[in-house]
Amino acid sequence: RGRKVLVVDIGAGSTDSGYMLRTIQHDPATHTPTQPLLLWFPPASALEKAGTWLTDQILHEWLQQGRISSREEAEDYKTSGVTDWYDRPYVREWCHSISEHIGGYVAGIPETRWLRFAPPLELIITGGSSAVEPVRRALIQGVTDALRQRHMFREVTLVQPPPARLPPTGHDDIHVAQLAVCLGASHPCLADLKYRSELH
């Protein structure tokens, strides 16, 4: 009957986040379901620590080691799936900054009805730097801790978005979430948007 979706977009220059609730509109006379609704809540403020910051740290470490490299090489390395650098202090700092910011946002979402109950909160992490595995773990932990502090402990499910090259199909909420972060989840007008399945 309802889906709770938290989108975290780790872009190049900022990390943006927004929470949305997908529910079903009912006919007041017959109480039968009529159409799905997407309810937008005020987004998080932008965190100006994201993919570029992490790339800069990798590049700085390489330069200190005497390795002559380009920013493009550091960017490719960051998203390559190589894991031998995940234990670096700057990776922990990066993950902590992002998870703390998003946790603070979740702690203040002005919604108390649906967050308290099943189903689980769906966490969708997008952006190139979402490939860095430690940040996924940190975000799940940060969001879980925030819900627990609100006495709304619920399971947090990480949902992998489909490849961006696939066209949207039907009322797929994950595609809507990707659209939200493309618009900019921190944009002040996002909370006023209403989803329509077709133009009139």
Side-chain angles (χ1 to χ4, degrees):
R1 299 291 294 276
R3 290 178 66 184
K4 299 166 290 187
V5 181
L6 175 67
V7 184
V8 179
D9 178 42
I10 308 174
S14 68
T15 297
D16 301 298
S17 183
Y19 171 73
M20 66 193 75
L21 176 66
R22 185 263 198 197
T23 185
I24 304 293
Q25 183 176 21
H26 286 75
D27 184 293
T30 63
H31 301 289
T32 56
T34 57
Q35 63 177 339
L37 292 177
L38 282 170
L39 308 177
W40 305 87
F41 288 78
S45 59
L47 174 67
E48 294 183 2
K49 180 177 279 189
T52 298
W53 187 91
L54 188 58
T55 301
D56 288 344
Q57 302 307 306
I58 296 170
L59 187 59
H60 179 69
E61 180 183 23
W62 286 354
L63 292 175
Q64 284 187 323
Q65 295 170 352
R67 175 178 171 178
I68 305 302
S69 302
S70 67
R71 177 181 295 277
E72 289 73 22
E73 288 176 292
E75 182 71 27
D76 290 343
Y77 180 79
K78 179 183 69 178
T79 58
S80 67
V82 176
T83 63
D84 60 0
W85 59 286
Y86 283 176
D87 61 349
R88 302 289 197 274
Y90 60 80
V91 177
R92 290 194 294 272
E93 177 188 343
W94 183 73
C95 292
H96 176 74
S97 296
I98 292 174
S99 65
E100 184 177 52
H101 179 75
I102 301 304
Y105 169 64
V106 171
I109 293 173
E111 197 271 283
T112 58
R113 179 180 178 186
W114 290 91
L115 276 173
R116 191 179 301 277
F117 301 107
L121 174 63
E122 297 180 40
L123 174 62
I124 301 175
I125 309 173
T126 64
S129 296
S130 64
V132 180
E133 183 63 33
V135 79
R136 299 182 193 179
R137 296 195 300 267
L139 279 167
I140 291 172
Q141 189 62 55
V143 172
T144 300
D145 290 346
L147 290 174
R148 184 179 291 119
Q149 288 171 8
R150 295 183 66 175
H151 304 289
M152 296 179 176
F153 179 69
R154 278 287 154 200
E155 180 185 356
V156 177
T157 302
L158 181 63
V159 179
Q160 292 298 110
R165 66 180 181 275
L166 294 179
T169 55
H171 301 291
D172 191 325
D173 296 334
I174 295 177
H175 286 293
V176 174
Q178 288 180 311
L179 175 60
V181 297
C182 288
L183 293 172
S186 65
H187 193 283
C189 293
L190 182 61
D192 297 326
L193 293 179
K194 298 295 185 289
Y195 172 70
R196 294 183 182 274
S197 61
E198 58 184 338
L199 294 176
H200 296 285

mmCIF file of all heavy atoms in Angstrom, residues 139-189:
data_model
loop_
_atom_site.group_PDB
_atom_site.id
_atom_site.type_symbol
_atom_site.label_atom_id
_atom_site.label_comp_id
_atom_site.label_asym_id
_atom_site.label_seq_id
_atom_site.Cartn_x
_atom_site.Cartn_y
_atom_site.Cartn_z
ATOM 1 N N LEU A 139 25.977 4.805 5.017
ATOM 2 C CA LEU A 139 24.649 5.399 4.878
ATOM 3 C C LEU A 139 23.571 4.528 5.508
ATOM 4 O O LEU A 139 22.674 5.035 6.189
ATOM 5 C CB LEU A 139 24.335 5.657 3.404
ATOM 6 C CG LEU A 139 24.953 6.937 2.831
ATOM 7 C CD1 LEU A 139 24.856 6.944 1.307
ATOM 8 C CD2 LEU A 139 24.266 8.168 3.413
ATOM 9 N N ILE A 140 23.644 3.227 5.283
ATOM 10 C CA ILE A 140 22.664 2.329 5.911
ATOM 11 C C ILE A 140 22.725 2.465 7.426
ATOM 12 O O ILE A 140 21.701 2.574 8.100
ATOM 13 C CB ILE A 140 22.909 0.866 5.481
ATOM 14 C CG1 ILE A 140 22.573 0.695 3.988
ATOM 15 C CG2 ILE A 140 22.075 -0.091 6.328
ATOM 16 C CD1 ILE A 140 22.966 -0.654 3.424
ATOM 17 N N GLN A 141 23.953 2.510 7.976
ATOM 18 C CA GLN A 141 24.108 2.642 9.417
ATOM 19 C C GLN A 141 23.620 3.997 9.912
ATOM 20 O O GLN A 141 22.924 4.094 10.930
ATOM 21 C CB GLN A 141 25.578 2.445 9.809
ATOM 22 C CG GLN A 141 25.790 2.349 11.320
ATOM 23 C CD GLN A 141 25.075 1.161 11.926
ATOM 24 O OE1 GLN A 141 25.278 0.026 11.507
ATOM 25 N NE2 GLN A 141 24.225 1.412 12.920
ATOM 26 N N GLY A 142 23.957 5.066 9.178
ATOM 27 C CA GLY A 142 23.542 6.402 9.592
ATOM 28 C C GLY A 142 22.031 6.575 9.578
ATOM 29 O O GLY A 142 21.451 7.170 10.497
ATOM 30 N N VAL A 143 21.382 6.049 8.551
ATOM 31 C CA VAL A 143 19.923 6.153 8.454
ATOM 32 C C VAL A 143 19.261 5.288 9.523
ATOM 33 O O VAL A 143 18.291 5.702 10.175
ATOM 34 C CB VAL A 143 19.453 5.748 7.044
ATOM 35 C CG1 VAL A 143 17.932 5.650 6.984
ATOM 36 C CG2 VAL A 143 19.962 6.759 6.008
ATOM 37 N N THR A 144 19.787 4.091 9.741
ATOM 38 C CA THR A 144 19.245 3.201 10.771
ATOM 39 C C THR A 144 19.349 3.844 12.147
ATOM 40 O O THR A 144 18.399 3.815 12.939
ATOM 41 C CB THR A 144 19.988 1.850 10.756
ATOM 42 O OG1 THR A 144 19.818 1.236 9.477
ATOM 43 C CG2 THR A 144 19.456 0.925 11.834
ATOM 44 N N ASP A 145 20.498 4.446 12.446
ATOM 45 C CA ASP A 145 20.691 5.112 13.739
ATOM 46 C C ASP A 145 19.718 6.277 13.906
ATOM 47 O O ASP A 145 19.171 6.494 14.995
ATOM 48 C CB ASP A 145 22.129 5.618 13.878
ATOM 49 C CG ASP A 145 23.137 4.479 14.047
ATOM 50 O OD1 ASP A 145 22.716 3.337 14.314
ATOM 51 O OD2 ASP A 145 24.344 4.745 13.895
ATOM 52 N N ALA A 146 19.494 7.039 12.827
ATOM 53 C CA ALA A 146 18.576 8.176 12.901
ATOM 54 C C ALA A 146 17.152 7.719 13.182
ATOM 55 O O ALA A 146 16.433 8.335 13.987
ATOM 56 C CB ALA A 146 18.634 8.977 11.602
ATOM 57 N N LEU A 147 16.724 6.646 12.546
ATOM 58 C CA LEU A 147 15.379 6.120 12.793
ATOM 59 C C LEU A 147 15.259 5.588 14.214
ATOM 60 O O LEU A 147 14.221 5.771 14.875
ATOM 61 C CB LEU A 147 15.056 5.011 11.786
ATOM 62 C CG LEU A 147 14.856 5.461 10.333
ATOM 63 C CD1 LEU A 147 14.696 4.244 9.426
ATOM 64 C CD2 LEU A 147 13.646 6.383 10.198
ATOM 65 N N ARG A 148 16.324 4.952 14.695
ATOM 66 C CA ARG A 148 16.295 4.426 16.059
ATOM 67 C C ARG A 148 16.182 5.569 17.070
ATOM 68 O O ARG A 148 15.454 5.458 18.062
ATOM 69 C CB ARG A 148 17.554 3.593 16.325
ATOM 70 C CG ARG A 148 17.560 2.923 17.692
ATOM 71 C CD ARG A 148 18.799 2.094 17.898
ATOM 72 N NE ARG A 148 18.808 0.925 17.051
ATOM 73 C CZ ARG A 148 19.726 0.675 16.121
ATOM 74 N NH1 ARG A 148 20.708 1.531 15.918
ATOM 75 N NH2 ARG A 148 19.684 -0.436 15.413
ATOM 76 N N GLN A 149 16.874 6.675 16.821
ATOM 77 C CA GLN A 149 16.799 7.824 17.722
ATOM 78 C C GLN A 149 15.392 8.406 17.770
ATOM 79 O O GLN A 149 14.976 8.979 18.774
ATOM 80 C CB GLN A 149 17.792 8.903 17.274
ATOM 81 C CG GLN A 149 19.242 8.545 17.524
ATOM 82 C CD GLN A 149 20.210 9.527 16.866
ATOM 83 O OE1 GLN A 149 19.805 10.550 16.341
ATOM 84 N NE2 GLN A 149 21.496 9.185 16.900
ATOM 85 N N ARG A 150 14.664 8.255 16.671
ATOM 86 C CA ARG A 150 13.278 8.738 16.619
ATOM 87 C C ARG A 150 12.296 7.684 17.126
ATOM 88 O O ARG A 150 11.085 7.874 17.036
ATOM 89 C CB ARG A 150 12.908 9.114 15.183
ATOM 90 C CG ARG A 150 13.688 10.285 14.633
ATOM 91 C CD ARG A 150 13.221 10.664 13.240
ATOM 92 N NE ARG A 150 11.849 11.169 13.247
ATOM 93 C CZ ARG A 150 11.242 11.658 12.173
ATOM 94 N NH1 ARG A 150 11.880 11.711 11.010
ATOM 95 N NH2 ARG A 150 10.002 12.098 12.241
ATOM 96 N N HIS A 151 12.818 6.572 17.631
ATOM 97 C CA HIS A 151 11.986 5.451 18.089
ATOM 98 C C HIS A 151 11.116 4.934 16.950
ATOM 99 O O HIS A 151 9.960 4.562 17.144
ATOM 100 C CB HIS A 151 11.131 5.857 19.288
ATOM 101 C CG HIS A 151 11.936 6.400 20.422
ATOM 102 N ND1 HIS A 151 12.747 5.607 21.199
ATOM 103 C CD2 HIS A 151 12.088 7.673 20.881
ATOM 104 C CE1 HIS A 151 13.349 6.353 22.110
ATOM 105 N NE2 HIS A 151 12.976 7.609 21.930
ATOM 106 N N MET A 152 11.696 4.956 15.759
ATOM 107 C CA MET A 152 11.002 4.462 14.562
ATOM 108 C C MET A 152 11.859 3.410 13.890
ATOM 109 O O MET A 152 11.987 3.390 12.674
ATOM 110 C CB MET A 152 10.759 5.605 13.569
ATOM 111 C CG MET A 152 9.849 6.692 14.059
ATOM 112 S SD MET A 152 9.674 7.968 12.807
ATOM 113 C CE MET A 152 8.489 9.037 13.596
ATOM 114 N N PHE A 153 12.497 2.591 14.673
ATOM 115 C CA PHE A 153 13.424 1.650 14.060
ATOM 116 C C PHE A 153 12.705 0.731 13.093
ATOM 117 O O PHE A 153 11.778 0.025 13.435
ATOM 118 C CB PHE A 153 14.157 0.816 15.096
ATOM 119 C CG PHE A 153 15.089 -0.171 14.463
ATOM 120 C CD1 PHE A 153 16.223 0.265 13.799
ATOM 121 C CD2 PHE A 153 14.816 -1.517 14.465
ATOM 122 C CE1 PHE A 153 17.078 -0.619 13.176
ATOM 123 C CE2 PHE A 153 15.668 -2.413 13.853
ATOM 124 C CZ PHE A 153 16.805 -1.967 13.215
ATOM 125 N N ARG A 154 13.153 0.804 11.872
ATOM 126 C CA ARG A 154 12.634 -0.042 10.808
ATOM 127 C C ARG A 154 13.807 -0.499 9.956
ATOM 128 O O ARG A 154 14.835 0.172 9.875
ATOM 129 C CB ARG A 154 11.655 0.740 9.924
ATOM 130 C CG ARG A 154 10.255 0.815 10.500
ATOM 131 C CD ARG A 154 9.545 -0.515 10.386
ATOM 132 N NE ARG A 154 8.517 -0.666 11.394
ATOM 133 C CZ ARG A 154 8.025 -1.842 11.762
ATOM 134 N NH1 ARG A 154 8.460 -2.951 11.235
ATOM 135 N NH2 ARG A 154 7.086 -1.913 12.668
ATOM 136 N N GLU A 155 13.626 -1.614 9.312
ATOM 137 C CA GLU A 155 14.653 -2.106 8.404
ATOM 138 C C GLU A 155 14.875 -1.104 7.272
ATOM 139 O O GLU A 155 13.937 -0.511 6.751
ATOM 140 C CB GLU A 155 14.217 -3.457 7.830
ATOM 141 C CG GLU A 155 15.217 -4.059 6.870
ATOM 142 C CD GLU A 155 14.698 -5.332 6.226
ATOM 143 O OE1 GLU A 155 13.584 -5.777 6.591
ATOM 144 O OE2 GLU A 155 15.386 -5.860 5.355
ATOM 145 N N VAL A 156 16.143 -0.919 6.912
ATOM 146 C CA VAL A 156 16.509 -0.068 5.783
ATOM 147 C C VAL A 156 17.008 -0.976 4.676
ATOM 148 O O VAL A 156 17.935 -1.767 4.877
ATOM 149 C CB VAL A 156 17.589 0.960 6.171
ATOM 150 C CG1 VAL A 156 18.002 1.791 4.965
ATOM 151 C CG2 VAL A 156 17.085 1.850 7.302
ATOM 152 N N THR A 157 16.395 -0.894 3.511
ATOM 153 C CA THR A 157 16.741 -1.751 2.388
ATOM 154 C C THR A 157 17.462 -0.937 1.322
ATOM 155 O O THR A 157 16.942 0.085 0.874
ATOM 156 C CB THR A 157 15.471 -2.382 1.773
ATOM 157 O OG1 THR A 157 14.789 -3.120 2.781
ATOM 158 C CG2 THR A 157 15.833 -3.303 0.617
ATOM 159 N N LEU A 158 18.652 -1.375 0.938
ATOM 160 C CA LEU A 158 19.374 -0.720 -0.145
ATOM 161 C C LEU A 158 18.832 -1.225 -1.465
ATOM 162 O O LEU A 158 18.831 -2.424 -1.741
ATOM 163 C CB LEU A 158 20.874 -1.005 -0.040
ATOM 164 C CG LEU A 158 21.760 -0.352 -1.102
ATOM 165 C CD1 LEU A 158 21.696 1.168 -0.998
ATOM 166 C CD2 LEU A 158 23.199 -0.826 -0.971
ATOM 167 N N VAL A 159 18.343 -0.315 -2.294
ATOM 168 C CA VAL A 159 17.769 -0.659 -3.589
ATOM 169 C C VAL A 159 18.709 -0.163 -4.667
ATOM 170 O O VAL A 159 19.037 1.025 -4.719
ATOM 171 C CB VAL A 159 16.367 -0.027 -3.775
ATOM 172 C CG1 VAL A 159 15.805 -0.374 -5.143
ATOM 173 C CG2 VAL A 159 15.434 -0.488 -2.674
ATOM 174 N N GLN A 160 19.153 -1.058 -5.530
ATOM 175 C CA GLN A 160 20.035 -0.666 -6.617
ATOM 176 C C GLN A 160 19.210 -0.125 -7.771
ATOM 177 O O GLN A 160 18.342 -0.828 -8.298
ATOM 178 C CB GLN A 160 20.856 -1.867 -7.101
ATOM 179 C CG GLN A 160 21.874 -2.350 -6.081
ATOM 180 C CD GLN A 160 22.901 -1.294 -5.772
ATOM 181 O OE1 GLN A 160 22.937 -0.724 -4.704
ATOM 182 N NE2 GLN A 160 23.760 -1.005 -6.726
ATOM 183 N N PRO A 161 19.460 1.123 -8.178
ATOM 184 C CA PRO A 161 18.711 1.641 -9.322
ATOM 185 C C PRO A 161 19.112 0.934 -10.604
ATOM 186 O O PRO A 161 20.252 0.469 -10.724
ATOM 187 C CB PRO A 161 19.104 3.121 -9.371
ATOM 188 C CG PRO A 161 20.413 3.192 -8.661
ATOM 189 C CD PRO A 161 20.396 2.088 -7.634
ATOM 190 N N PRO A 162 18.211 0.811 -11.566
ATOM 191 C CA PRO A 162 18.548 0.179 -12.842
ATOM 192 C C PRO A 162 19.516 1.067 -13.619
ATOM 193 O O PRO A 162 19.649 2.249 -13.321
ATOM 194 C CB PRO A 162 17.197 0.085 -13.556
ATOM 195 C CG PRO A 162 16.389 1.175 -12.951
ATOM 196 C CD PRO A 162 16.833 1.293 -11.529
ATOM 197 N N PRO A 163 20.214 0.507 -14.602
ATOM 198 C CA PRO A 163 21.127 1.323 -15.401
ATOM 199 C C PRO A 163 20.416 2.531 -16.001
ATOM 200 O O PRO A 163 19.270 2.436 -16.438
ATOM 201 C CB PRO A 163 21.596 0.356 -16.495
ATOM 202 C CG PRO A 163 21.401 -1.004 -15.922
ATOM 203 C CD PRO A 163 20.192 -0.901 -15.026
ATOM 204 N N ALA A 164 21.106 3.671 -16.015
ATOM 205 C CA ALA A 164 20.488 4.912 -16.469
ATOM 206 C C ALA A 164 20.064 4.848 -17.939
ATOM 207 O O ALA A 164 19.197 5.585 -18.374
ATOM 208 C CB ALA A 164 21.461 6.068 -16.258
ATOM 209 N N ARG A 165 20.678 3.932 -18.703
ATOM 210 C CA ARG A 165 20.345 3.875 -20.132
ATOM 211 C C ARG A 165 18.970 3.259 -20.383
ATOM 212 O O ARG A 165 18.434 3.352 -21.483
ATOM 213 C CB ARG A 165 21.407 3.074 -20.891
ATOM 214 C CG ARG A 165 21.459 1.599 -20.515
ATOM 215 C CD ARG A 165 22.527 0.842 -21.297
ATOM 216 N NE ARG A 165 22.570 -0.552 -20.957
ATOM 217 C CZ ARG A 165 23.253 -1.057 -19.937
ATOM 218 N NH1 ARG A 165 23.950 -0.252 -19.167
ATOM 219 N NH2 ARG A 165 23.253 -2.347 -19.681
ATOM 220 N N LEU A 166 18.408 2.596 -19.375
ATOM 221 C CA LEU A 166 17.097 1.996 -19.565
ATOM 222 C C LEU A 166 16.019 3.072 -19.495
ATOM 223 O O LEU A 166 16.054 3.928 -18.620
ATOM 224 C CB LEU A 166 16.830 0.943 -18.481
ATOM 225 C CG LEU A 166 17.718 -0.304 -18.522
ATOM 226 C CD1 LEU A 166 17.338 -1.228 -17.381
ATOM 227 C CD2 LEU A 166 17.584 -1.024 -19.856
ATOM 228 N N PRO A 167 15.054 3.044 -20.402
ATOM 229 C CA PRO A 167 13.991 4.055 -20.357
ATOM 230 C C PRO A 167 13.038 3.769 -19.202
ATOM 231 O O PRO A 167 12.892 2.628 -18.770
ATOM 232 C CB PRO A 167 13.289 3.867 -21.707
ATOM 233 C CG PRO A 167 13.520 2.428 -22.050
ATOM 234 C CD PRO A 167 14.895 2.101 -21.514
ATOM 235 N N PRO A 168 12.382 4.808 -18.668
ATOM 236 C CA PRO A 168 11.392 4.590 -17.609
ATOM 237 C C PRO A 168 10.243 3.723 -18.101
ATOM 238 O O PRO A 168 9.872 3.779 -19.269
ATOM 239 C CB PRO A 168 10.904 6.010 -17.292
ATOM 240 C CG PRO A 168 11.974 6.914 -17.812
ATOM 241 C CD PRO A 168 12.557 6.200 -19.000
ATOM 242 N N THR A 169 9.718 2.919 -17.210
ATOM 243 C CA THR A 169 8.592 2.058 -17.577
ATOM 244 C C THR A 169 7.483 2.227 -16.549
ATOM 245 O O THR A 169 7.704 2.065 -15.355
ATOM 246 C CB THR A 169 9.016 0.581 -17.607
ATOM 247 O OG1 THR A 169 9.589 0.249 -16.333
ATOM 248 C CG2 THR A 169 10.044 0.326 -18.688
ATOM 249 N N GLY A 170 6.317 2.579 -17.005
ATOM 250 C CA GLY A 170 5.155 2.645 -16.125
ATOM 251 C C GLY A 170 5.341 3.632 -14.989
ATOM 252 O O GLY A 170 5.834 4.731 -15.161
ATOM 253 N N HIS A 171 4.971 3.189 -13.786
ATOM 254 C CA HIS A 171 5.030 4.042 -12.608
ATOM 255 C C HIS A 171 6.180 3.625 -11.706
ATOM 256 O O HIS A 171 6.050 3.626 -10.485
ATOM 257 C CB HIS A 171 3.703 3.956 -11.836
ATOM 258 C CG HIS A 171 2.524 4.376 -12.645
ATOM 259 N ND1 HIS A 171 2.327 5.682 -13.023
ATOM 260 C CD2 HIS A 171 1.498 3.667 -13.165
ATOM 261 C CE1 HIS A 171 1.206 5.762 -13.725
ATOM 262 N NE2 HIS A 171 0.692 4.561 -13.831
ATOM 263 N N ASP A 172 7.300 3.249 -12.270
ATOM 264 C CA ASP A 172 8.435 2.760 -11.498
ATOM 265 C C ASP A 172 8.986 3.885 -10.620
ATOM 266 O O ASP A 172 9.509 4.874 -11.100
ATOM 267 C CB ASP A 172 9.530 2.257 -12.451
ATOM 268 C CG ASP A 172 10.611 1.486 -11.716
ATOM 269 O OD1 ASP A 172 10.913 1.862 -10.572
ATOM 270 O OD2 ASP A 172 11.136 0.526 -12.295
ATOM 271 N N ASP A 173 8.858 3.720 -9.302
ATOM 272 C CA ASP A 173 9.271 4.772 -8.375
ATOM 273 C C ASP A 173 10.771 5.013 -8.393
ATOM 274 O O ASP A 173 11.233 6.103 -8.078
ATOM 275 C CB ASP A 173 8.839 4.408 -6.958
ATOM 276 C CG ASP A 173 7.326 4.342 -6.841
ATOM 277 O OD1 ASP A 173 6.657 5.020 -7.636
ATOM 278 O OD2 ASP A 173 6.831 3.617 -5.975
ATOM 279 N N ILE A 174 11.557 3.990 -8.738
ATOM 280 C CA ILE A 174 12.994 4.176 -8.772
ATOM 281 C C ILE A 174 13.364 5.138 -9.890
ATOM 282 O O ILE A 174 14.217 6.006 -9.731
ATOM 283 C CB ILE A 174 13.720 2.823 -8.941
ATOM 284 C CG1 ILE A 174 13.457 1.948 -7.708
ATOM 285 C CG2 ILE A 174 15.212 3.030 -9.137
ATOM 286 C CD1 ILE A 174 14.059 0.568 -7.793
ATOM 287 N N HIS A 175 12.695 5.026 -11.034
ATOM 288 C CA HIS A 175 12.958 5.974 -12.109
ATOM 289 C C HIS A 175 12.546 7.384 -11.697
ATOM 290 O O HIS A 175 13.199 8.357 -12.045
ATOM 291 C CB HIS A 175 12.228 5.561 -13.386
ATOM 292 C CG HIS A 175 12.848 4.389 -14.075
ATOM 293 N ND1 HIS A 175 14.092 4.454 -14.650
ATOM 294 C CD2 HIS A 175 12.420 3.125 -14.257
ATOM 295 C CE1 HIS A 175 14.397 3.277 -15.184
ATOM 296 N NE2 HIS A 175 13.402 2.457 -14.953
ATOM 297 N N VAL A 176 11.459 7.490 -10.963
ATOM 298 C CA VAL A 176 11.036 8.796 -10.473
ATOM 299 C C VAL A 176 12.088 9.358 -9.528
ATOM 300 O O VAL A 176 12.396 10.550 -9.546
ATOM 301 C CB VAL A 176 9.666 8.690 -9.781
ATOM 302 C CG1 VAL A 176 9.287 10.016 -9.134
ATOM 303 C CG2 VAL A 176 8.600 8.273 -10.780
ATOM 304 N N ALA A 177 12.664 8.476 -8.710
ATOM 305 C CA ALA A 177 13.711 8.918 -7.803
ATOM 306 C C ALA A 177 14.928 9.414 -8.572
ATOM 307 O O ALA A 177 15.557 10.409 -8.201
ATOM 308 C CB ALA A 177 14.108 7.768 -6.873
ATOM 309 N N GLN A 178 15.286 8.727 -9.643
ATOM 310 C CA GLN A 178 16.404 9.188 -10.463
ATOM 311 C C GLN A 178 16.093 10.539 -11.081
ATOM 312 O O GLN A 178 16.969 11.409 -11.171
ATOM 313 C CB GLN A 178 16.712 8.164 -11.555
ATOM 314 C CG GLN A 178 17.364 6.903 -11.013
ATOM 315 C CD GLN A 178 17.658 5.914 -12.116
ATOM 316 O OE1 GLN A 178 16.795 5.614 -12.936
ATOM 317 N NE2 GLN A 178 18.871 5.404 -12.137
ATOM 318 N N LEU A 179 14.852 10.737 -11.495
ATOM 319 C CA LEU A 179 14.461 12.028 -12.035
ATOM 320 C C LEU A 179 14.599 13.104 -10.962
ATOM 321 O O LEU A 179 15.061 14.216 -11.234
ATOM 322 C CB LEU A 179 13.024 11.975 -12.542
ATOM 323 C CG LEU A 179 12.424 13.301 -13.034
ATOM 324 C CD1 LEU A 179 13.236 13.857 -14.192
ATOM 325 C CD2 LEU A 179 10.978 13.108 -13.432
ATOM 326 N N ALA A 180 14.244 12.768 -9.742
ATOM 327 C CA ALA A 180 14.329 13.735 -8.645
ATOM 328 C C ALA A 180 15.750 14.218 -8.440
ATOM 329 O O ALA A 180 15.992 15.413 -8.274
ATOM 330 C CB ALA A 180 13.795 13.101 -7.360
ATOM 331 N N VAL A 181 16.713 13.294 -8.478
ATOM 332 C CA VAL A 181 18.088 13.713 -8.247
ATOM 333 C C VAL A 181 18.669 14.405 -9.473
ATOM 334 O O VAL A 181 19.571 15.226 -9.351
ATOM 335 C CB VAL A 181 18.987 12.547 -7.797
ATOM 336 C CG1 VAL A 181 18.523 11.997 -6.458
ATOM 337 C CG2 VAL A 181 19.029 11.442 -8.826
ATOM 338 N N CYS A 182 18.140 14.099 -10.654
ATOM 339 C CA CYS A 182 18.571 14.838 -11.840
ATOM 340 C C CYS A 182 18.146 16.300 -11.736
ATOM 341 O O CYS A 182 18.880 17.215 -12.117
ATOM 342 C CB CYS A 182 17.980 14.232 -13.113
ATOM 343 S SG CYS A 182 18.709 12.660 -13.575
ATOM 344 N N LEU A 183 16.943 16.537 -11.202
ATOM 345 C CA LEU A 183 16.470 17.900 -11.003
ATOM 346 C C LEU A 183 17.243 18.587 -9.895
ATOM 347 O O LEU A 183 17.375 19.798 -9.872
ATOM 348 C CB LEU A 183 14.978 17.892 -10.651
ATOM 349 C CG LEU A 183 14.022 17.446 -11.752
ATOM 350 C CD1 LEU A 183 12.623 17.303 -11.187
ATOM 351 C CD2 LEU A 183 14.045 18.430 -12.899
ATOM 352 N N GLY A 184 17.771 17.795 -8.971
ATOM 353 C CA GLY A 184 18.482 18.344 -7.830
ATOM 354 C C GLY A 184 17.639 18.200 -6.589
ATOM 355 O O GLY A 184 16.707 18.959 -6.374
ATOM 356 N N ALA A 185 17.936 17.196 -5.781
ATOM 357 C CA ALA A 185 17.099 16.923 -4.610
ATOM 358 C C ALA A 185 17.120 18.067 -3.609
ATOM 359 O O ALA A 185 16.229 18.198 -2.785
ATOM 360 C CB ALA A 185 17.556 15.630 -3.932
ATOM 361 N N SER A 186 18.133 18.928 -3.662
ATOM 362 C CA SER A 186 18.191 20.030 -2.717
ATOM 363 C C SER A 186 17.511 21.286 -3.252
ATOM 364 O O SER A 186 17.515 22.323 -2.608
ATOM 365 C CB SER A 186 19.645 20.355 -2.375
ATOM 366 O OG SER A 186 20.326 20.837 -3.514
ATOM 367 N N HIS A 187 16.938 21.235 -4.455
ATOM 368 C CA HIS A 187 16.280 22.404 -5.019
ATOM 369 C C HIS A 187 15.061 22.760 -4.166
ATOM 370 O O HIS A 187 14.251 21.899 -3.835
ATOM 371 C CB HIS A 187 15.838 22.128 -6.463
ATOM 372 C CG HIS A 187 15.435 23.360 -7.198
ATOM 373 N ND1 HIS A 187 14.223 23.973 -6.989
ATOM 374 C CD2 HIS A 187 16.088 24.119 -8.113
ATOM 375 C CE1 HIS A 187 14.123 25.052 -7.743
ATOM 376 N NE2 HIS A 187 15.254 25.164 -8.445
ATOM 377 N N PRO A 188 14.906 24.023 -3.779
ATOM 378 C CA PRO A 188 13.818 24.380 -2.855
ATOM 379 C C PRO A 188 12.422 24.132 -3.405
ATOM 380 O O PRO A 188 11.472 24.015 -2.640
ATOM 381 C CB PRO A 188 14.053 25.882 -2.608
ATOM 382 C CG PRO A 188 14.874 26.340 -3.761
ATOM 383 C CD PRO A 188 15.735 25.165 -4.133
ATOM 384 N N CYS A 189 12.280 24.048 -4.725
ATOM 385 C CA CYS A 189 10.951 23.835 -5.311
ATOM 386 C C CYS A 189 10.567 22.361 -5.383
ATOM 387 O O CYS A 189 9.424 22.041 -5.701
ATOM 388 C CB CYS A 189 10.883 24.432 -6.714
ATOM 389 S SG CYS A 189 11.001 26.234 -6.740
#
